[in-house]
Each structure stands twice: as structure tokens, then as C-alpha cells.
Amino acid sequence: MSAAPDPHPTPASRPDRAVLSLKGVKKHFPIREGAFQRVTGWVRAVDGVSFDIRPGETVGLVGESGCGKSTLGRCVSGLTDVTAGGVYFDLPAEASRLLDNIASGTATDAEKARVAQIEAAHRIDRLQGAGYKRFRRNCQMVFQDSFASLNPRHLVVDIVGRSLRVYKEASGTELTERVVELLEQVGMGRQHLYRYPHQFSGGQRQRISIARALATNPDVIILDEPTSALDVSVQAQILNLLSDLQKQHNLAYLFITHDLSVVRHMADRLVVMYLGKVSEAGVTSDVFDAPHHPYTRALMEAKPDIEGAASEQAQGLDGVVPDPARPPRGCRFHTRCHMATPSCGWEVDDVIRRLEDIPGLFDALSGVERKSDFAASLTFGDAAAAERLVSILDSDGIPAAMRSAMGRLERRDRTVSVAFDEVPDVDLRITEPGRVASCVLSPIEVFQGVNE
Amino acid sequence: MMGHLETDMADAVRTAPATVASVRDLKVHFAAKRGVVHAVDGVSFDIRDGETLGLVGETGCGKSVTGRSFLRLLPVPPGILAGGSVTFRPHALCEDCDGAGCDACGCTGRKAVVCPSCRGQGCATCDGTGAETIDLLKIDTETLRKLRGDRVAMIFQDPGKALNPTLTIGQQVAEVFLQHRTDELIELAGLSPETGGALRRFARQDHRFGDGILLSLPPFRGQRRRIQAALDKMVARALAETQVPNPASLMDRYPHELSGGMRQRVMIAQALACNPDLLIADEPTTALDVTVEARILELIRDLQMRRRSSVLYISHDLSLVRRICDRVAVMYAGRVVEIGPTAEVFRNPRHPYTRGLLAAVPTADTPRGGLAAIKGTVPELVDPPAACRFAGRCRHETEACRRFDPTLEPVSETHAVACFIDHPAPEGDQPSFERITE
Amino acid sequence: MVDLPSPTQPGTIDAIAPESARRVRLRRFKELAAKVLSNPATVLGFVIIFAMLFMAIFAPWLVAPNVPDPYQMPRDWAATRMPPGTPGHPLGTTNEGGDVFYGVVWGTRMSLQLSLIVVFSTVVIGSIIGSLAAYFGGKVDEFLMRVVDVFLSIPELIFALAIAAILGPSFGNIMFALIVVFWVKYARIMRARVIQIKGSEYIDAARIIGDSNINIYLRDILPNSFTPVMVQATLDMGNVVLIAATLSFIGLGQAGIAEWGVLVSEGQAGIASGRWWASTFPGLMIFLWALAFNLVGDGLRDALDPRTEGR
């Protein structure tokens, strides 16, 4: 639609690059307490996430509330600083490999010397001057709440034309014409120029947000739940629009959503997050066909479907998402997993997570001595209470996998000593070419649903 | 003599139509700056005994307002009940089988209460059905208050807002019993049914000045404690039914200490505490994650099956309605445009709007960018003209659709639709699915 | 593409009329003005304020200014303690032969000067400090807000009284004292508003575009924060005069100037002996002034309520 030649050559013409590359991104928020606001802990909202977004593709980021997907979106767009790791813009494949080598500790001295240079040129929080401007123009964002993301006192022409003004690309009549052109691209028109956001419906406001994002002619747009507040018929309009625009402008999208049908429709590749970490990633259709992580499987089974057999019984998950300030060891999902094995990282805190709702069980507890995350002694006021805990831990009161993982369970008078087998944290591993999952089980085992 | 009469009445009730509630030509209007908004404009449907009826539609179609008008929970003004009726037939335990389910009650364990004015013979007040029929829109507020939470209960989208943040979970669930189950409470406490005075007032949450002092004196103190213990037992039982992990400890917690899913369980416990005949669920899982949603749906379904309550399930989510509802009513712009058994409506939708909605949901096979979006937006319902509400957005409309207003008419025994595609248009061109007007 | 019906009055002439940003903004302003003026009490407030403004602007034509200092009461020693209606002294005279009418008219000018200077200075100081606190947050915020707390913990009147008493009786000192007392409110309002606006998504959206911080402050934060400040400023236009009059009344004003508080103070001794006019007329002016700004302030608050604004 835009007749003007693109003044900014996009990385699209160089497919050996990632528009955005996330390398071990962490975002921890401090928990402050007391009168002096001392930091007493950290909420690990995002805890080491890596993936690339390539030119022209859509990466879907799914997960339930509190999994850190929105925080990650803000980190990627540069709205929030990262705690560790880095987000890189327009990163050549060769530089990406070099950074991976550094992270895995296999880098040569020559490579180490180049890191500073690469970071200055690509890492979004190190970019300066023209480099930063280029990133800012090329990475745009559309928010979920179209009402809150449009300044209520600005007219559409000001909202959409703002970046043209910021980058001194147009003014006066020319600016108006450019805005009209942008509005036409999103299915609106000249008649909407001089209106306030509150005069539009939710779908129209989201179109205005998209037009604003298009104004800088970006390479990538981060879409944070862009259709979650919309009705299904309007959602369809917006999703169609986003697909059309992607084809026209070779846009890359990071599509953040909790809606699996939408992400299956929109995303080329899928990243599933749980409690700040990636539990699985791969080509969307492959992931939907055969999830390699029990969490992904649970998500997909819980999703009500418009097609297929109507009487499918959805399973859902028990329990709550654990506290992200103290995430479970091993695999973070093991506390709710239907397929948990003894090697999933059972730890002493799981005793509490599992049993704290049993009335009176811990009333007589007088002391806790934690030796490690995997071993502790609990001292009770009387031997009977200690025996009660032992008997529950030794029965069906806890999952069989958890019981098998218990290396030691003994009572000495009023003290119960529990020790679990120490296992390393479960990292992402390649399960298939182009697929990663962080599960100790093989894809076949996840598919068969063992241990239920 | 008595026995004979009772048999007669039972016969009459047995033939009564198995509907727990009927909405007829319901109209709810809102006064706005630009005129009267016809938010609900002539809605009619029945909710049958023991069924789950889904009420689906998009934002502003009037589905929530319809649900809320069952309990007259409308902001008045500016919400005006402009006409129509919502009749409700309360049920009671079937005395033949004591709730176990027998032929007399159609295996539901419940029977409609006999009409008090004609004793089941059929009269004008009960439309000749012989079952007690109450117009929820006309009864006085005191009667309505007694029905609310007891015979008709409601759960809302946001349990965080519907629960009182200053009361514990136990206190909030207890309120339902204190309001509606005073006798049962006194009985469970082991007191005589004739117990009166301050103790009864305590069990009825009807405090009077001086009661507090009186109940702290020796003879009453113990009895009050017994009532309190009985109350706690009832609350714990109600909470346990919703499969919360530890009902006893949950009772002392405050709403903000619970997760969204847990709060919704508490709401459900509260709503189902008195075994209502009708549960109105207004988007109860919209604020929840899918994995939690699945659990809550399973719970509602399970409790409903066991208690044989009827459910009006209001949602914007078609796939969800498809999963849990027996019948579905599709609303658009203040009207029911299509109603029928879920399987039939989803397999063979007859209204272009229903078809549009179904096609707008992305599926595995939809090519990207190829979603069938419905063009345009929902019309403003300020003084709507006599025309099909969907005209202007419909792919099949003709001149007739713009000049006449189709009414809901049957296409099969169970399935009705308000569209000229299946019914002859009064005059002019007949629209059809084959004919696409762009 | 999908056709989108016009959200405003489809089918009316407005929908097809060529628009311009200026015209739309003007219309919005007119709508807002109509909303403010739909309240009769607010209209009454405006009428009184306009009458007062008229009096202040045309004071030299209403009563000839005193030479050399027009803000000094002229003394007519030949006509002391004259009742209202006396030729040349329509509202009577004081014990010292001061013309009450002169005091009322020129007092309006003084009050206008006083309230404009005080309110303008406090709004500017308060907004800057409040914005800085909100913008920097952390230690800066903590420090500035504790300073504000200290100021707020002393009752307005007593604080102003203490400052004016230390500095000595003069009109300038009263103004200074009032500025010192009143800025804190604005700092607080502004800080709360800026923090709220700073967290809103349209600020994120502006940052995503890459706009500069100063632009975001001027284009997004300031215009959206200013409503409560404006309402408070209107109310304070009245409050300032009220407190200034109190200070003058208890003797901290500059003796002999044409100021309402001073006049009330001068006239109070005569009330017991039946000479009510010297205190009553300036007192009435103080009352009307405070009332008018309070009416308008309340009207603005209702009309500009951020919960209904822009919807």
C-alpha cells in the first residue's frame, strides 16, 4: 500500500539474522518489606528464557496468568530492563553462535574479545544514539487494553502520527495524508482522523493501536494479548488484519496470548511458558500434534474445542501455581504434573505444598532444620505428631513418585528427618530437530501419559 | 380425605410441563443520553427441569441483563423492566422417593410445588399447569429475597468482587444458611423445633438489641454454641462438595487470601448450599486460566447432575457452551435469534449470525488470514427500527430483512430460529444461504 | 476491508462535515463548558466572579485612585464615622475617615492580585516538586514527601500566622506566608496523579514509539494530571483571600491599606456602638469571594471528574 520506498533496509532481506534474539533473559522483581523497604526476596517472573524471532515469522508465547509471558514481552520491547541475560536486536547468526559459546563456556579468547563489540551493536539496553533509534523504530508493540493504551486526550491523527512527528518525517498536510494512508491499511479512513479514542468500539481502537505501531515501519511487533478483550467476531477481523499486514510488510510478530486456538491459528512457532521458564518450544503444528511436555499436554486437553467430539472430558490441573519467589526445584511443573517421576526434583518444600491443608498436622511443629533444598528435619512437640507425619509420608497421602524420590524418612523420637534424592534442575533439551522441552520424560512417554 | 386429595394433586403435577422457568417477551430498557436503549427486546425461552441452557452472544447482546433480571438485579434506574415475565416454578423434594428418584418425579428426586390457589387442578395463576408459578418480576421484594440464594442462585464472573472482603469465607457461606435454613439449623443443633426468641433470631441472622447479652448468659450460651457448631458443620459440608482441599481451614480465610479458582469454588458452594432449583452462572470461568476453568466446569456439571438443578449458563465462549450445555440460545442485539439442542445448533446452525460466530473461531484447518469475520459492528440499540437486527451485517440479507422483523419460529420440533431464510418473508425477496449479497 | 459505521451520529450532517483538529477540540471545549454551566450554582459563582473582576479592572473609574498610592485608604478627616448613604461616601466611612466604598472596590483589586500571585506560585512550585518526586521516585520521592508531610502536619492558619508574625506585618509578607503554606497540597496532588499516569499503558505506548521523556511529560502526563490541580487552584483562589483576611484581621496586615481584612479589623471596634457598616461591607465581599470560587471549584470538580471525563 505504501508507495514510498522503504528508507530503512530491514533485516528481512538478510534471513541469516534474528530480528530479536533472547539469550537467557531473566527478570526478577524485588520483594520489599518493613519500614526501610529492605529487599527480602525476589519474584522470579522470568527466569532464563532464550529464543529467536526471525524476520517475517510469528512466534507465539503462551502460558497461564502469572507465567511471566507479559513481563517477558515488556523486556523484549525494552520497556523493562532485564535482570540478567540480554535481548538482542538484528543479531547475525554468527554473532548469535558466538554469544552461545560464551554462555556455554566454550568460547575462545578471540571470541571473548568481540563480545563487548557485539553487545554495543545489538543488545537493546546497550544501544546508543542511532542504533537505539533504529531498534526503537523497528520494534513496536500493541497492548491488550486498547482503551488504556491510547491517550484519552489525543485525537487519532495525533496518536497515529506521533512517531512521524518524533522522527521528523512529516508534518502538516503531509502528516495527515500519511496518517490517512496508515488508517486505510487497518481498514479505517479519513473520517476517523479527528476523533477521540472513546468514540470508537474496542475493535476499532485496536485497529488504531495497530496503525500506530505500523507508522514507524517496524520489523517486529510485540502483540500482548491483542484480541483477548474482543468478541470472537471482532477478534476474527483483527487476526485477519494482522495476517494481511504481516504478508504485506514482512513483519515478525511475537504473539503473546493465553488462547490456544488463536495461537495455533497465528503462530509459526510456539513457546510455552510455565512459572518463568520455557517448558516447551517448537513448530506450532508439531507441538499441537504431539506435545513433549506434560504441561503443554494439560493445557491442550483443558482447552474447550469448537470442533471434534463434544463430550471430550477436559482434565484440568489440580493445585495452584507455586510461588514464583520460591519456585520448585527440578522441573517447575512437577508439583502439579500428572506424569511426575521420582527424578522430577522432589524437595522438602513439597512436603508443605502437599500437606499443609491437612488439619492439625503441623500444629505441634516446634522446629525446622533445613539442610538443603532436598533434606530437612522437622521437630514436633510430641512423638505422636511426628509419627502422624511419617505415616502420611509413607502412604498414598502423597504421590507415589514423591514417595519413591524420598531417599530417607526416619523418626527419632520427636524429630522427623526427610531427605529426597538430589537431582539437577531440568533444563531444556532437544527432543526432536527443532523442538525443545524441559521434561525428564521422552516424547513417547509424554504421549502415552505414563504414571497416571 | 386428605390422602385422596394429595393423590389428585400429584396426578395433576405429574402432567405439568417440565420447565423450571420461562421467560416470555422480556424487555429491559436503559435510559441513555441519546434515547432508550433496548438492551433486551422481547426475549423468550424456557429452562427445562435439570437441563443446562447456554445463553451465548457477544458483548452488549443482553445475555447478562437477561440473566440478572431473574433476580431483578438491575440498576433501577436507569435499567427499566419494560415488559414481559420471568416465571419460576419452585420445586421440592419428591415425597414418594425422598429424593432418590422414582417414576413420579421422573427420576429427578424433585417435583414442582403444587399451585396453592388451585391445589394442582390448574387455574389462571399457574397457567393451568397445577404447579406453583411465580412471576419473578412481579413478586414483592420480601418474597424475592426468600427465593434468592435458596431456590434461585447466581454465580458471577468475578468472584473477587462478589465476595465481601471483610468477612471470612465461613461467615459468607453461613449467611445463606442463616437466611434460608433456620429450621434445619435448629434441628441439627439438637434443639426443639419450637425454639424461639433470641436463639431463633440468632439462627436467622435477625439480631435485636439485647440479644447479645441474653445469649451470653448460661442456659442460652451453650445452645448458641450448639447452633454455631451446627452452622459450621453445614458450611464445611457445603464447601467440601466443591472439592476444596481443607474446608475447615478455608472457613477462617478471607477472600483475598485465595486464588481465583478457589474463590469461584467458594461462590459455587455458596450458590449451591441450599440446593437451588435454578442456578444462573454468568461467565463463571471467564477470569480463570484454562486448566482451572476445566476443573470448575467439571465441578458445576458434576454438582448439577447430582442435585438435578437447572442451570442457565451465560457465556461468550461457544466452545465452552458446546462442551457443557444441553441446549443453547444464541442472543444477538437484545434478541434470541436461535435456540435448540446444542448438538443440533452446532451441527446445523440455521441463523447467519450463529454461522458467522462459529466460523469466526479459529480452528486447526482455518488458513491464516482466512477467518470468516462478521463485517461491521453490533448496532446501537437506541430505538431500533422494525427490521432484522442482523441486517447490515448479514451476507444473505434481502430487502425483506431490512423492512420486516423476523420472529423466533420453529424449524424442527426442538430447534427455532428468527430468520427469513427458514420462514417465508412477508413480502419481497426470500433470503437464502445460497444467495450472498455483498 | 470491513466497513466500519461511524460511531458518532451516523447519518447526520456531522458525520460528513469536513473536520479539523481545531474544530474538534473547540467542540470538545464547548461541550465541557456546557457541562460546567449546566449547574446553576456554578453559574452563580461565575456571575459573582465576573462582577468582582469587573470591579477590580475598572476600580480607577469607579472611585478615583488615591494619590500617590492607590492601595492606601484615602482619609477624609472631615467625615469620620459617617453612615452609608452620606454624599461622597455611599457605604459610609470608618473611624479614621476611610471611605468604605473605596476599600471595597480597591480591596477587590488587592484580593485578585493576592490570590493570583499566591495560587500561580503555589501551583508552579507544587507541580514541579510533585512531578520531580513522582518522576525520580525512590530516595528523592521519599525526602520530598517527608518535607511535605512536615508542612501538612501544621494547621494552615497557624503556620501562615507564625511566618507572617516573624516577618512582620506587611501585605507582601502575608503573600509569602501563604505561598509557603499552600504549595504542599499541589505537590501531593501532582505526585499522586503523575505516578498514576506514569503507570498507564499510553505512556508505555509513547515510550515504545521512542518519544523523549520531556515530550512524554508535556504531551501525556501533564495534560492528564492537570484536572485535579485546576480544581484545587480554583478552590484556593477563595481560600487564600479568606486566610489573608484572617491574618490582616488579627493585625498582621499592613495598617491603612485598602484590604478587606484590614477594613473589617478597623471597623470591628465600632460594631458595639452601632456602626456596623465599616466591617459588614468588606466582610460581605470576603464571603462572596470565597463562596464564588468554591461554587465554581465544586462545579469544575463534578464536570471534570476523571471517572466520567472523556467517556
Side-chain angles (χ1 to χ4, degrees):
Chain A
M1 278 200 193
S2 154
D6 186 357
H8 309 278
T10 63
S13 48
R14 289 163 285 166
D16 57 332
R17 294 175 160 243
V19 196
L20 283 170
S21 179
L22 286 74
K23 303 254 178 232
V25 173
K26 291 188 181 180
K27 178 66 194 176
H28 297 181
F29 293 103
I31 306 167
R32 293 173 194 277
E33 265 168 38
F36 296 100
Q37 295 290 292
R38 280 219 344 264
V39 176
T40 56
W42 297 89
V43 172
R44 303 183 192 181
V46 177
D47 209 12
V49 171
S50 308
F51 61 86
D52 287 352
I53 304 170
R54 297 184 207 117
E57 79 166 347
T58 303
V59 174
L61 185 59
V62 284
E64 296 181 290
S65 50
C67 73
K69 58 185 191 300
S70 282
T71 306
L72 187 63
R74 293 177 65 87
C75 290
V76 174
S77 65
L79 280 175
T80 305
D81 294 333
V82 296
T83 310
V87 178
Y88 298 84
F89 170 65
D90 193 16
L91 190 67
E94 174 258 336
S96 179
R97 269 193 303 277
L98 188 147
L99 289 169
D100 290 341
N101 288 347
I102 299 280
S104 59
T106 57
T108 61
D109 287 345
E111 283 179 329
K112 278 178 192 154
R114 279 197 57 210
V115 170
Q117 188 202 336
I118 291 172
E119 297 213 322
H122 299 288
R123 197 171 137 165
I124 62 168
D125 47 355
R126 301 271 165 86
L127 290 171
Q128 298 287 330
Y132 181 74
K133 231 177 206 175
R134 197 167 76 91
F135 161 67
R136 204 52 296 162
R137 297 186 52 131
N138 278 304
C139 174
Q140 289 295 308
M141 187 158 177
V142 173
F143 299 87
Q144 169 175 2
D145 185 344
S146 60
F147 199 88
S149 62
L150 303 174
N151 188 331
R153 282 169 198 270
H154 287 181
L155 295 168
V156 170
V157 61
D158 299 326
I159 292 168
V160 177
R162 184 163 182 174
S163 59
L164 302 176
R165 249 184 221 133
V166 168
Y167 297 107
K168 301 198 172 56
E169 283 191 1
S171 60
T173 339
E174 198 199 336
L175 182 127
T176 316
E177 289 315 309
R178 288 279 296 277
V179 171
V180 170
E181 206 177 281
L182 287 161
L183 286 176
E184 281 168 358
Q185 286 194 42
V186 297
M188 296 177 74
R190 190 178 294 276
Q191 72 274 25
H192 299 114
L193 274 176
Y194 301 109
R195 294 210 184 133
Y196 289 101
H198 69 90
Q199 292 173 293
F200 295 95
S201 68
Q204 287 173 312
R205 279 200 296 269
Q206 208 55 292
R207 286 170 192 268
I208 296 169
S209 300
I210 294 169
R212 168 172 65 189
L214 287 178
T216 59
N217 208 348
D219 294 330
V220 57
I221 302 181
I222 292 150
L223 304 160
D224 187 0
E225 305 259 12
T227 60
S228 300
L230 304 177
D231 278 319
V232 54
S233 67
V234 183
Q235 165 175 293
Q237 294 174 2
I238 299 291
L239 293 181
N240 284 347
L241 172 67
L242 287 170
S243 312
D244 293 346
L245 291 171
Q246 180 165 44
K247 279 177 216 141
Q248 282 166 27
H249 300 277
N250 193 32
L251 287 165
Y253 290 142
L254 176 61
F255 201 108
I256 303 170
T257 183
H258 68 276
D259 189 325
L260 290 162
S261 358
V262 168
V263 87
R264 178 167 60 179
H265 180 70
M266 292 296 288
D268 301 307
R269 289 192 302 131
L270 192 61
V271 177
V272 183
M273 273 182 83
Y274 180 77
L275 207 57
K277 283 200 162 192
V278 173
S279 53
E280 172 164 12
V283 174
T284 309
S285 54
D286 295 350
V287 175
F288 270 88
D289 287 346
H292 287 182
H293 195 287
Y295 176 63
T296 319
R297 201 181 139 169
L299 268 185
M300 282 163 192
E301 279 169 1
K303 176 180 79 83
D305 222 332
I306 199 82
E307 11 156 45
S311 58
E312 272 177 288
Q313 259 309 291
Q315 266 214 314
L317 289 172
D318 281 325
V320 292
V321 180
D323 183 0
R326 170 62 185 100
R329 296 295 304 265
C331 170
R332 293 198 170 180
F333 185 57
H334 78 256
T335 58
R336 302 169 77 197
C337 187
H338 292 302
M339 305 176 198
T341 70
S343 48
C344 287
W346 296 98
E347 49 165 336
V348 287
D349 285 343
D350 287 327
V351 174
I352 304 301
R353 288 191 189 111
R354 277 277 159 187
L355 304 178
E356 70 175 342
D357 279 335
I358 295 179
L361 184 61
F362 293 109
D363 286 358
L365 191 67
S366 60
V368 175
E369 191 196 335
R370 178 194 283 269
K371 297 186 184 84
S372 73
D373 282 346
F374 297 98
S377 314
L378 291 88
T379 309
F380 288 84
D382 58 289
E387 185 52 41
R388 187 165 168 223
L389 176 65
V390 170
S391 67
I392 290 176
L393 286 178
D394 208 17
S395 71
D396 285 340
I398 59 169
M402 181 175 169
R403 235 176 318 138
S404 325
M406 229 181 303
R408 191 163 60 111
L409 171 67
E410 55 185 37
R411 179 175 70 87
R412 195 168 296 149
D413 192 25
R414 296 183 290 120
T415 302
V416 181
S417 298
V418 190
F420 289 91
D421 301 335
E422 289 200 29
V423 295
D425 282 355
V426 181
D427 289 324
L428 278 177
R429 59 192 176 85
I430 296 168
T431 51
E432 240 177 45
R435 292 281 299 273
V436 288
S438 66
C439 185
V440 296
L441 296 172
S442 70
I444 298 292
E445 286 170 310
V446 175
F447 179 75
Q448 288 166 341
V450 289
N451 273 333
E452 180 50 45
Chain B
M1 176 65 204
M2 253 339 257
H4 176 69
L5 189 67
E6 267 172 11
T7 327
D8 269 5
M9 290 191 330
D11 281 344
V13 171
R14 207 167 294 151
T15 57
T19 61
V20 64
S22 307
V23 178
R24 286 288 169 273
D25 203 27
L26 179 69
K27 288 183 176 154
V28 183
H29 296 173
F30 288 91
K33 241 190 283 172
R34 264 183 276 158
V36 178
V37 177
H38 294 230
V40 175
D41 202 19
V43 161
S44 304
F45 58 83
D46 289 337
I47 304 171
R48 297 181 191 155
D49 272 355
E51 81 166 347
T52 301
L53 175 68
L55 198 56
V56 283
E58 298 183 291
T59 314
C61 72
K63 59 188 190 299
S64 262
V65 178
T66 304
R68 286 172 158 261
S69 52
F70 273 76
L71 293 174
R72 293 216 301 253
L73 292 175
L74 300 173
V76 181
I80 311 148
L81 280 165
S85 67
V86 178
T87 52
F88 169 67
R89 300 200 176 90
H91 283 52
L93 212 61
C94 173
E95 64 273 18
D96 294 356
C97 58
D98 205 23
C102 61
D103 286 345
C105 53
C107 297
T108 61
R110 291 196 204 202
K111 279 202 307 198
V113 174
V114 167
C115 176
S117 56
C118 62
R119 298 188 158 178
Q121 299 307 308
C123 64
T125 52
C126 57
D127 290 331
T129 59
E132 182 176 7
T133 306
I134 299 169
D135 188 343
L136 292 173
L137 303 186
K138 298 217 172 65
I139 51 171
D140 59 286
T141 43
E142 184 54 24
T143 322
L144 184 68
R145 199 186 59 77
K146 279 188 189 141
L147 287 172
R148 253 185 217 171
D150 183 13
R151 303 325 315 151
V152 185
M154 187 152 183
I155 46 181
F156 299 91
Q157 174 175 345
D158 189 349
K161 278 182 196 152
L163 291 171
N164 184 340
T166 63
L167 296 179
T168 63
I169 298 303
Q171 284 169 321
Q172 308 201 35
V173 179
E175 246 170 49
V176 187
F177 293 117
L178 292 169
Q179 289 290 329
H180 303 293
R181 288 289 181 270
T182 309
D183 291 330
E184 205 179 302
L185 192 58
I186 287 173
E187 196 189 313
L188 193 67
L191 305 177
S192 108
E194 277 85 52
T195 305
L199 274 173
R200 179 164 282 272
R201 285 199 294 275
F202 175 71
R204 204 168 58 200
Q205 220 183 25
D206 169 26
H207 300 290
R208 236 182 255 172
F209 179 74
D211 280 0
I213 300 168
L214 194 63
L215 291 174
S216 64
L217 295 176
F220 295 115
R221 205 158 120 196
Q223 290 175 332
R224 193 195 69 175
R225 284 214 186 117
R226 265 153 74 192
I227 294 181
Q228 188 63 53
L231 188 60
D232 286 350
K233 208 192 266 172
M234 286 169 88
V235 171
R237 206 193 297 153
L239 285 172
E241 285 221 55
T242 59
Q243 297 154 19
V244 296
N246 178 8
S249 79
L250 186 69
M251 282 166 62
D252 298 326
R253 312 262 283 272
Y254 287 90
H256 68 89
E257 298 176 82
L258 308 180
S259 67
M262 204 58 106
R263 271 184 239 159
Q264 199 56 278
R265 280 171 201 264
V266 171
M267 281 279 292
I268 292 170
Q270 206 177 14
L272 297 181
C274 291
N275 220 345
D277 302 323
L278 177 60
L279 174 69
I280 295 159
D282 189 358
E283 307 244 14
T285 62
T286 305
L288 306 176
D289 282 322
V290 271
T291 53
V292 183
E293 173 181 83
R295 278 283 194 251
I296 296 286
L297 289 178
E298 206 181 308
L299 174 71
I300 294 179
R301 193 75 174 148
D302 178 57
L303 288 174
Q304 185 221 355
M305 290 300 230
R306 269 197 281 144
R307 293 154 178 255
R308 303 282 177 178
S309 299
S310 305
V311 178
L312 178 65
Y313 196 96
I314 301 167
S315 178
H316 69 280
D317 190 334
L318 291 161
S319 25
L320 204 148
V321 162
R322 173 166 181 260
R323 188 194 276 179
I324 68 155
C325 294
D326 304 310
R327 287 197 310 141
V328 56
V330 182
M331 278 189 79
Y332 180 76
R335 293 272 176 85
V336 172
V337 294
E338 181 158 10
I339 184 167
T342 308
E344 202 174 325
V345 170
F346 276 75
R347 196 179 53 240
N348 180 22
R350 297 307 301 170
H351 197 284
Y353 177 66
T354 317
R355 292 193 166 198
L357 270 188
L358 288 169
V361 180
T363 64
D365 315 321
T366 327
R368 194 169 311 163
L371 286 171
I374 302 172
K375 63 179 178 178
T377 46
V378 181
E380 292 211 24
L381 299 172
V382 180
D383 303 313
C388 175
R389 295 287 154 86
F390 196 51
R393 299 183 74 188
C394 185
R395 298 170 68 223
H396 314 290
E397 71 184 50
T398 64
E399 189 54 33
C401 305
R402 292 185 280 268
R403 288 177 48 213
F404 300 97
D405 197 358
T407 51
L408 200 59
E409 280 175 57
V411 284
S412 78
E413 250 176 62
T414 50
H415 190 172
V417 64
C419 177
F420 292 131
I421 287 177
D422 282 306
H423 310 294
E427 59 185 69
D429 288 344
Q430 180 79 18
S432 79
F433 286 126
E434 285 71 46
R435 164 182 193 147
I436 290 170
T437 23
E438 282 301 344
Chain C
M1 284 261 174
V2 172
D3 72 310
L4 296 146
S6 151
T8 44
Q9 297 93 14
T12 62
I13 196 83
D14 297 341
I16 53 161
E19 290 283 19
S20 77
R22 208 162 51 92
R23 200 191 305 236
V24 173
R25 291 202 182 95
L26 191 69
R27 195 163 61 215
R28 176 152 158 144
F29 178 76
K30 276 187 192 158
E31 278 168 15
L32 211 59
K35 201 170 152 197
V36 171
L37 293 179
S38 64
N39 181 350
T42 315
V43 177
L44 177 68
F46 272 116
V47 169
I48 300 175
I49 289 172
F50 279 118
M52 297 269 194
L53 280 180
F54 178 85
M55 220 187 258
I57 293 163
F58 295 101
W61 287 272
L62 290 170
V63 208
N66 194 13
V67 192
D69 181 1
Y71 297 106
Q72 207 68 38
M73 285 288 282
R75 302 292 179 195
D76 184 353
W77 295 105
T80 58
R81 307 181 177 188
M82 299 303 274
T86 312
H89 304 293
L91 297 180
T93 59
T94 63
N95 283 357
E96 285 86 36
D99 180 23
V100 176
F101 183 63
Y102 188 93
V104 163
V105 173
W106 284 86
T108 318
R109 249 195 185 199
M110 289 221 85
S111 299
L112 188 67
Q113 259 181 29
L114 169 88
S115 47
L116 281 181
I117 292 175
V118 171
V119 169
F120 181 77
S121 322
T122 51
V123 165
V124 170
I125 298 171
S127 301
I128 291 176
I129 292 184
S131 303
L132 287 177
Y135 185 83
F136 288 105
K139 296 239 161 65
V140 178
D141 183 25
E142 198 68 14
F143 172 74
L144 289 174
M145 283 306 112
R146 290 301 81 78
V147 172
V148 166
D149 285 346
V150 170
F151 274 73
L152 281 174
S153 59
I154 311 168
E156 268 175 13
L157 182 63
I158 294 175
F159 193 18
L161 196 143
I163 298 169
I166 292 165
L167 296 175
S170 97
F171 190 65
N173 289 344
I174 289 185
M175 276 208 257
F176 179 75
L178 289 172
I179 292 173
V180 171
V181 173
F182 273 86
W183 69 271
V184 282
K185 269 195 239 172
Y186 297 100
R188 237 194 191 185
I189 296 173
M190 200 64 185
R191 173 181 172 271
R193 243 349 233 181
V194 171
I195 286 179
Q196 188 197 342
I197 305 282
K198 217 175 77 170
S200 60
E201 265 185 4
Y202 58 84
I203 301 298
D204 287 342
R207 286 174 59 199
I208 285 283
I209 283 172
D211 214 345
S212 62
N213 286 339
I214 183 77
N215 258 344
I216 291 176
Y217 181 73
L218 293 176
R219 288 173 53 82
D220 296 295
I221 297 180
L222 206 55
N224 281 297
S225 324
F226 222 67
T227 309
V229 170
M230 213 171 80
V231 171
Q232 186 61 43
T234 313
L235 294 170
D236 277 349
M237 286 289 286
N239 296 345
V240 159
V241 168
L242 215 56
I243 293 193
T246 315
L247 296 178
S248 296
F249 178 79
I250 54 178
L252 293 171
Q254 204 169 316
I257 58 166
E259 202 265 340
W260 296 335
V262 175
L263 279 178
V264 174
S265 161
E266 276 182 22
Q268 55 143 347
I271 293 175
S273 18
R275 293 188 306 277
W276 52 270
W277 54 88
S279 286
T280 307
F281 290 112
L284 193 67
M285 291 303 283
I286 296 171
F287 165 75
L288 284 177
W289 182 278
L291 174 76
F293 280 102
N294 271 294
L295 288 178
V296 172
D298 282 342
L300 284 180
R301 174 178 298 164
D302 293 345
L304 304 180
D305 187 338
R307 277 167 300 182
T308 59
E309 195 189 1
R311 297 250 168 184

